């Protein structure tokens, strides 16, 4: 059986399973330490050194490091805001691979072989509401994700532990602490259903010069067009730990990206399972072409072309 991904607000069993796994994976220590992780990353990121304390890292911490590391690896040709997971065509397939690896950990932790990651429809249960309704939504109570501002010390994620931080001078290993949020303080509203419709109506997956300047499905969903929009806006609205490259520290990260993936899946059902750029497109950024290996620190790598059809792994209960 394959997983079925459902809306966190509509499937309390899936919600509890995911929140339990988030806490469990953040407290499940591996043999990897801050020092050993630093040594591995230094081989691929010139001049890298993790600062802070020496400690063992959890399974969840490794996902945080993986995301951050992908953002330090530039493309050729280089351009602003584009790295090996963001700011270009690979944004959607890279995060699909990343979600798959976390979903596999969810299945292992829960013992449910077809457990699916939940998504958060941040338009219907967010941006389509008034600003006050968004901030005071049941999602941000102790029934689900805990408080939208301050340290998350109540609710199912109260025991979720953060050990890795991005600071102005790089990556730090810090004394264990709770999740931090600052919802609605930098932007007042979440994306709307009209934003989703615009992305779904875009006829091209991506286009030259394959960066944050273009109008394409990928760039609309990522949120650079008249941004911050869509995916980017969710990060900024939640704030706190969701702002830097270590944003997977907050489990809402995966709820956001699961919804982003759901929108992409809907687009492909309408426009075909197409991807741009092809391998031989002149000037296309290395790492973003259809047959380039994507950056993977956990598990084997995929190429974008290998993840266009996800039906062997999962489906969604409903598409936008």
């Amino acid at each position: 059986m394959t997983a079925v991904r459902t809306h966190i607000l509509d499937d309390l069993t899936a919600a509890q399973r995911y929140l339990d796994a988030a806490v469990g994976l953040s407290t499940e220590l591996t043999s990897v330490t801050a020092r050993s992780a630093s040594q591995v990353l230094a081989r691929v990121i010139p001049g890298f050194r993790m600062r802070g304390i020496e400690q063992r890292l959890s399974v969840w911490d490794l996902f945080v490091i993986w995301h951050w590391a992908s953002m330090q690896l530039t493309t050729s040709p280089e351009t602003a805001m584009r790295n090996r997971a963001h700011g270009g065509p690979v944004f959607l397939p890279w995060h699909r691979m990343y979600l798959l690896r976390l979903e596999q950990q969810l299945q292992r932790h829960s013992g449910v072989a077809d457990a699916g990651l939940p998504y958060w429809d941040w338009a219907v249960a967010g941006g389509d509401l008034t600003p006050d309704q968004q901030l005071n939504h049941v999602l941000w109570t102790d029934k689900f994700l805990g408080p939208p501002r301050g340290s998350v010390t109540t609710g199912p994620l109260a025991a979720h532990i953060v050990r890795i931080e991005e600071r102005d001078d790089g990556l730090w290993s810090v004394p264990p602490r709770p999740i931090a949020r600052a919802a609605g303080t930098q932007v007042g509203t979440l994306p709307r259903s009209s934003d989703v419709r615009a992305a779904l109506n875009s006829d091209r997956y991506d286009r030259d010069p394959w960066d944050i300047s273009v109008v394409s499905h990928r760039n609309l969903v990522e949120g650079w067009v008249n941004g911050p929009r869509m995916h980017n806006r969710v990060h900024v609205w939640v704030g706190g730990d969701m702002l830097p490259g270590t944003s997977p520290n907050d489990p809402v990260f995966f709820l956001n990206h699961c919804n982003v993936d759901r929108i992409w899946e809907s687009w492909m059902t309408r426009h075909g399972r197409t991807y741009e750029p092809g391998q031989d497109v002149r000037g296309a950024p290395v790492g973003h072409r259809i047959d380039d290996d994507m950056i993977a620190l956990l598990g084997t790598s995929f190429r974008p072309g290998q993840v266009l059809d996800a039906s062997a792994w999962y489906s969604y209960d409903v598409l936008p």
Side-chain angles (χ1 to χ4, degrees):
M1 294 179 63
T2 58
V4 177
R5 296 179 175 179
T6 56
H7 193 201
I8 189 169
L9 294 169
D10 295 336
D11 188 341
L12 296 183
T13 298
Q16 191 60 54
R17 182 188 296 135
Y18 172 65
L19 298 173
D20 287 347
V23 172
L25 295 173
S26 81
T27 56
E28 181 185 333
L29 297 180
T30 70
S31 61
V32 180
T33 66
R35 181 179 296 113
S36 65
S38 183
Q39 291 169 345
V40 170
L41 292 179
R43 298 171 193 160
V44 293
I45 303 173
F48 174 80
R49 179 174 66 87
M50 188 184 299
R51 295 168 171 82
I53 66 172
E54 171 65 346
Q55 61 182 327
R56 289 171 64 193
L57 302 179
S58 72
V59 175
W60 197 275
D61 296 329
L62 300 184
F63 276 87
V64 174
I65 290 172
W66 179 7
H67 185 267
W68 182 88
S70 74
M71 299 182 70
Q72 313 312 307
L73 302 174
T74 58
T75 62
S76 177
E78 292 188 26
T79 191
M81 305 308 295
R82 189 171 66 201
N83 52 59
R84 294 294 296 271
H86 306 81
V90 84
F91 170 73
L92 290 169
W94 187 91
H95 283 86
R96 175 165 281 191
M97 174 182 68
Y98 188 66
L99 291 174
L100 278 170
R101 296 298 181 231
L102 196 279
E103 192 164 63
Q104 290 165 353
Q105 291 295 325
L106 166 66
Q107 293 162 354
R108 179 186 65 82
H109 181 273
S110 67
V112 179
D114 60 350
L117 286 173
Y119 62 86
W120 167 34
D121 187 341
W122 31 247
V124 171
D128 293 346
L129 307 174
T130 68
D132 282 346
Q133 288 173 328
Q134 293 174 46
L135 193 61
N136 295 298
H137 198 280
V138 66
L139 186 68
W140 305 105
T141 68
D142 287 354
K143 184 176 181 179
F144 288 100
L145 302 181
R149 293 178 178 170
S151 295
V152 180
T153 56
T154 61
L157 294 175
H160 186 86
I161 295 174
V162 172
R163 296 181 187 82
I164 300 295
E165 286 182 5
E166 180 182 43
R167 298 180 180 176
D168 290 342
D169 55 354
L171 197 65
W172 282 72
S173 170
V174 300
R177 64 165 178 82
I179 302 162
R181 297 185 182 133
T185 59
Q186 295 205 27
V187 293
T189 58
L190 288 157
R192 298 181 175 182
S193 291
S194 57
D195 299 314
V196 176
R197 289 193 294 270
L200 290 175
N201 289 334
S202 180
D203 62 346
R204 288 280 297 274
Y205 174 77
D206 221 333
R207 63 181 76 234
D208 183 73
W210 322 107
D211 60 17
I212 66 171
S213 71
V214 302
V215 177
S216 66
H217 173 70
R218 184 275 311 167
N219 206 31
L220 286 166
V221 173
E222 191 169 359
W224 295 107
V225 180
N226 299 318
R229 298 283 184 182
M230 297 194 74
H231 153 267
N232 286 349
R233 192 173 188 86
V234 176
H235 278 273
V236 176
W237 186 87
V238 176
D241 280 320
M242 273 282 278
L243 283 176
T246 49
S247 52
N249 271 321
D250 191 334
V252 74
F253 173 99
F254 292 95
L255 304 179
N256 175 23
H257 275 277
C258 205
N259 196 49
V260 167
D261 186 80
R262 186 177 73 107
I263 295 167
W264 181 34
E265 182 65 23
S266 182
W267 184 88
M268 287 192 286
T269 64
R270 301 179 185 205
H271 300 274
R273 297 191 183 279
T274 61
Y275 181 84
E276 300 174 86
Q279 199 65 19
D280 299 323
V281 173
R282 185 175 181 179
V286 174
H288 287 248
R289 300 169 300 184
I290 192 168
D291 289 326
D292 288 340
D293 288 332
M294 296 187 289
I295 298 299
L297 298 186
L298 299 173
T300 57
S301 178
F302 286 121
R303 300 184 294 275
Q306 293 176 304
V307 299
L308 299 182
D309 183 356
S311 61
W313 301 301
Y314 64 87
S315 61
Y316 288 99
D317 58 348
V318 62
L319 296 175

